Amino acid sequence: MSQLPADARAVVIGGGVAGCSVAYHLARLGWTDVILVERHDLTEGTTWHSAGFVGQLRSTVTQTRMIMYSAGLYPELRELTGLDPGWHGVGGLRLATTPERMEELLRQAGAAETYGLDLEVLDPRGTHDRLPLLEVGDVLGSLWLPGDGWLDPARLGHALAEGARALGVRIFTGVEVTGIDVHDGHVTAVRLRGEDGEHVVRTETVVNAAGAAAGAVGRMAGADIPIVPIKHQYVVTPASGVPAETPTVRDPDNIVYFREEDGGILVGGYIRSPQVWDTDRPLSEPRTLFTPDMPKFRESWDSAVRRVPSLKPVGAGDDPAVFRKVVHGPEAFTPDGEFLLGETAVAGLWVAAGFCVHGLAAAGGVGKVMAEWIVEGAPEYDVFGMDVRRFGSYARSARWARARALDSYSTYYDIVYPGEERTAARPLRRSPAWVRHEALGATFGEKAGWERVNWYPPTPDAGTAPSAQAARTVRPRGWAGRVWSPAIREECLATRDAAGLFDQTSFAKLEISGSVADLERLAGNALDRPAGAEVSTEVSTGVSTRAPARVYPVVYTQLLNERGGIEADVTVTRLAEDRFRLVTGTAFGIHDAALLRRHGLAVADVTSAYACYCLWGPRAYEILASLTDDDLTFGYLRAAEISVEHVPVLAQRVTFVGEFGWELYCPSEYGLTLWDSLMEAGLPHGMRPAGYRALESLRLEKGYRVWGLDVTPETTPLEAGLGFAVRPEHRAALPSPRTALRCLVLDDERDVCQGGEPVRLDGRPVSRVTSGGFGHRVGRSIAYAYLPVKVEPGERVEVGVNGRRVSATVTREPLYDPEGARVRAEPWAAADR
């Protein structure tokens, strides 16, 4: 143990492919004073029993890019280290046996085009020609990805470890982590035990790459990491002359995957009744395996035998002795089936875990983004979908994490349609008005644990009456029309013609204390505006109200990283000289709070303290004025404290739908009362309660951006068309854009984009759709995509929708109310528009 240092710049916990890759990439970026500790030998946790598949095409662009990076790195490791990582570049097939799966494959093929992936869509004959041992009588088609393959997991781990050693990383095996010291919320040391006793290594950076044990390691520091070890099984048949060049195969409709191994076939699958590994000490023993459970594996085996008839002589799969190997081991799953990466709530404690079976494929990319994040402050790719901070405090519940992870595993190969909602561990977080929404028959969605209304029931004749003809004609084709209701159109038009009432209590709300200068260092826009002024309420119409009002400035801005990329898209209300309220998206509060704290600001998450209802539409003034004696004439991007009947409210004159109105914030205990008051006052004016699907349609028509889709840490305000929200001196420092976010209007209104569709210019793939939908106020199918800056409105492009290329026109935005007259209307004039 004496060889262990007393200090290290970083300590990596876990000697699997994740830990070795992080250590290797940290060293590549110059952090050579790094140690890696593993309680057993390298790769003996969960890495060693991985099936080793490397499939590049994934559901998100970031994960695909990470795996593409990995696929490029793995063949290079042999030259870099002298060790063979066991890479078999045999290509891969993904089969479709149902029309729905074939639709999915065509969508995936379109997405792959935008990623630059080499692939081919094959018919049944082409699939059989590619791999003659397949039975293809029920196959409708397949995707052939020549860049796919598989790896020997142990060899890869050792190659990465050797690369790390060559760059100065010290690796210690047989060393157990017994504790992580934390002072004032920051990691200070790691406590270790080896053959020669106890040791303490002082460090400010710890990377928890402990796989299925990552949750237990996190608890040592007081960090909640929702890792759920789930038992996963595969078998390897005796050698039967299967060629080594046999491609990997995934047959998701039949929940089975397979590849060649030593002349036989490795067969695995995702069972419908998975089992959690309940233990307080996961991976305490090396090479942990469970007793084979052949009955649970029966469905996958039967599917494999149907697909590969030459497997029939092996038998029914009931007897593990007929196989050369049965591997039944723990895999680290997460509540949503995505990786857990990034810094935890404990400063300096990072995590790279939760690889959900396919971590080996992305291990190189994981090491890359983690090292960049730690060393440079931000990774090259947008990794929010994998950021451990995407979960709230509810994730500390082991029961919640288990229910969600089991659901994620059991549906791993299911088709996920846009807008489809999972039901596990729901409901959890509910607005004070949730009981009213439920009583109205609302259809709910879920985000960050919050129950949110997608839409309310349509009027009784919405699908049959002549007046509903327009609603019927705009039902989207294909996937976009699967999760849909005519109520969405009704709610949009009610907001345009009268008013819509939206429950947005799930908005994340942060109270910030600190100097405006500190906050402005992050923000693109100017925030140093008067904190709250006494203003006259005498208005040009001669109307006078009872008293002066204190009005606060509201600023729309982005929070930017050092590269000028957009880390958050928010509104900031200055309530005092050194106090601000920041409002951000439902799932982004923890992420944004951590960003602010890293820049020296004190932040309190007050999301649950306030309900938020948005009253938008030309009748909004009449509705709200009937409930208050306070002045409502403060202008756009202003806020004031008012009373709505008996309820104290902070009314903010902002909008996300392009109509006149307010966001109304009140303490949560008043939330039900405020909702009831607004409903009672609004219904006689034609107001309708409205849900998030209407909100999405309305914001698209106005060109309002959504962080994580239209804007990300990889895009700058100038590229995103948000230069107006950046103060001049900051704008001058931003890099000149090479692309610009453009509005596309599709020729056929029934072709509706969902995001990710390929965009072609002059026949060449140039981009992908960031977000899309149907605009009910303008009657157009709308999409947004980043295109070369030289592309001007009026130019034509092609978009891949539902497996077809459809035409679209680049159009000036916003499509609805381009002058912004409705948003900025004087209160007494709003209803006249």
Side-chain angles (χ1 to χ4, degrees), residues 291-639:
T291 301
D293 190 343
M294 305 318 293
K296 278 188 178 291
F297 194 68
R298 184 63 182 266
E299 183 179 357
S300 293
W301 176 251
D302 287 349
S303 293
V305 172
R306 288 195 303 271
R307 186 64 59 220
V308 184
S310 61
L311 289 175
K312 288 180 180 178
V314 177
D318 295 329
D319 181 6
V322 304
F323 298 107
R324 188 161 56 86
K325 182 165 58 175
V326 177
V327 176
H328 191 199
E331 292 285 353
F333 262 75
T334 67
D336 59 3
E338 294 288 351
F339 300 168
L340 291 180
L341 308 179
E343 192 172 23
T344 69
V346 178
L349 178 64
W350 298 75
V351 63
F355 288 167
C356 307
V357 179
H358 58 275
L360 195 81
V366 166
K368 166 186 162 63
V369 300
M370 288 293 296
E372 292 168 347
W373 213 341
I374 293 167
V375 175
E376 300 172 356
E380 178 185 356
Y381 308 150
D382 169 24
V383 294
F384 178 76
M386 307 174 195
D387 193 329
V388 66
R389 294 167 298 184
R390 67 188 182 271
F391 298 116
S393 58
Y394 51 87
R396 73 175 300 276
S397 165
R399 295 187 181 190
W400 177 88
R402 179 180 303 177
R404 295 296 288 249
L406 287 171
D407 179 69
S408 175
Y409 181 102
S410 65
T411 59
Y412 190 78
Y413 266 167
D414 286 3
I415 298 171
V416 179
Y417 295 104
E420 190 173 67
E421 301 286 349
R422 299 295 190 191
T423 59
R426 291 177 58 190
L428 182 60
R429 307 173 78 182
R430 288 179 271 188
S431 157
W434 179 85
V435 291
R436 300 293 189 256
H437 308 324
E438 185 183 43
L440 288 172
T443 296
F444 290 97
E446 179 268 339
K447 192 166 189 178
W450 282 99
E451 293 294 314
R452 311 194 309 178
V453 175
N454 280 340
W455 60 75
Y456 295 90
T459 54
D461 64 350
T464 58
S467 61
Q469 181 64 35
R472 291 202 306 275
T473 59
V474 297
R475 180 169 191 141
R477 293 188 181 99
W479 281 26
R482 293 185 68 95
V483 185
W484 179 90
S485 170
I488 301 167
R489 175 181 175 84
E490 295 180 359
E491 292 169 12
C492 290
L493 298 187
T495 304
R496 179 195 68 186
D497 298 335
L501 182 61
F502 298 80
D503 185 347
Q504 294 193 257
T505 298
S506 66
F507 271 172
K509 314 165 195 82
L510 307 177
E511 295 277 1
I512 304 169
S513 301
S515 74
V516 69
D518 287 340
L519 187 51
E520 274 196 334
R521 274 194 283 273
L522 267 176
N525 213 340
L527 302 177
D528 194 3
R529 307 181 187 191
E534 299 287 346
V535 299
S536 170
T537 57
E538 186 77 26
V539 296
S540 60
T541 59
V543 176
S544 179
T545 54
R546 61 176 185 169
R550 183 170 293 276
V551 177
Y552 307 99
V554 181
V555 178
Y556 170 60
T557 187
Q558 291 75 45
L559 305 183
L560 306 178
N561 58 36
E562 292 182 356
R563 299 192 298 262
I566 300 171
E567 291 287 347
D569 188 64
V570 301
T571 57
V572 178
T573 303
R574 191 176 192 182
L575 300 174
E577 287 297 315
D578 59 353
R579 187 165 66 91
F580 308 84
R581 181 177 296 173
L582 181 149
V583 177
T584 186
T586 296
F588 310 144
I590 297 173
H591 168 275
D592 293 2
L595 176 66
L596 294 160
R597 290 180 183 122
R598 284 203 307 273
H599 286 76
L601 293 153
V603 182
D605 189 331
V606 296
T607 300
S608 299
Y610 296 98
C612 174
Y613 308 129
C614 298
L615 178 63
W616 290 317
R619 299 290 176 186
Y621 177 74
E622 296 171 60
I623 295 167
L624 194 59
S626 71
L627 296 170
T628 183
D629 298 322
D630 290 311
D631 171 47
L632 297 176
T633 62
F634 52 91
Y636 182 57
L637 292 180
R638 298 288 186 272

